[in-house]
Amino acid sequence: MNIGYDYYESPIGKIFVVISENGVSKVELFEDKWNDYLNENHLNRRSDLCQEVIKQINEYFQGKRKEFTVSIDIEGTDFRKKVWQALSNIPYGVTKSYQEIAEIIGNPKAVRAIGQANKSNPLPLIIPCHRVIGKSGKLVGYAGSRISTKKWLLQHEGFELNELIKETIID
């Protein structure tokens, strides 16, 4: 059961964190989506409970943290959990294609399903779905039309954008 939330003012905007009794259960990068979530879930602000998660997110944006060590508490199908585990294993500053993730989880024909699992990731940054790109190297599929956030996160991690990727970005 979710028991509280807090937010962090990041270089990409406010990031909202929801905590349960067992760990972080949601990270929301976009304020419009957060407002919808909060209207449905009536949570109270609990800075005390979210302190460690926000500290680690802050360290990520300061370039001091490359992986997160907070306890997580998320729900999903077995397939989605398998995908999220594969995403969690993508190292900082590295990208994988949707096809590569499908192969890693032993289901090479599940590329579209990988995209859906990526889209439903409740913990962006902590489970780094921004590190998944198209097979051709294009930046595709990040929170709908928010490719600029994906670009920012990859560049923050030191990823050099090649010409093909630059062509796919609308600034």
Side-chain angles (χ1 to χ4, degrees), residues 6 17 19 46-57 70:
D6 200 5
V17 173
I19 202 87
R46 292 290 307 266
S47 300
D48 56 325
L49 298 176
C50 299
Q51 191 173 18
E52 181 59 28
V53 179
I54 288 177
K55 174 181 168 260
Q56 289 192 26
I57 290 172
V70 293

Side-chain angles (χ1 to χ4, degrees), residues 116-135:
Q116 288 303 309
N118 226 26
K119 182 179 177 181
S120 66
N121 173 13
L123 301 176
L125 298 180
I126 294 171
I127 299 175
C129 54
H130 62 278
R131 296 178 188 153
V132 182
I133 61 174
K135 187 176 182 179

Side-chain angles (χ1 to χ4, degrees), residues 4 11 14 16 37 42 50 58 65 67 74 77 99 117-118 137 141 153:
K14 278 186 183 175
F16 299 88
Y37 180 84
H42 309 293
C50 299
N58 182 50
R65 177 170 294 277
E67 58 186 55
I74 56 175
T77 64
Q99 181 67 54
N118 226 26
L153 293 169

Side-chain angles (χ1 to χ4, degrees), residues 97-144:
S97 71
Y98 292 93
Q99 181 67 54
E100 288 173 305
I101 298 299
E103 290 167 2
I104 287 167
I105 67 162
N107 197 342
K109 295 184 190 261
V111 176
R112 288 182 190 239
I114 301 296
Q116 288 303 309
N118 226 26
K119 182 179 177 181
S120 66
N121 173 13
L123 301 176
L125 298 180
I126 294 171
I127 299 175
C129 54
H130 62 278
R131 296 178 188 153
V132 182
I133 61 174
K135 187 176 182 179
S136 67
K138 290 184 179 181
L139 297 184
V140 294
Y142 194 72

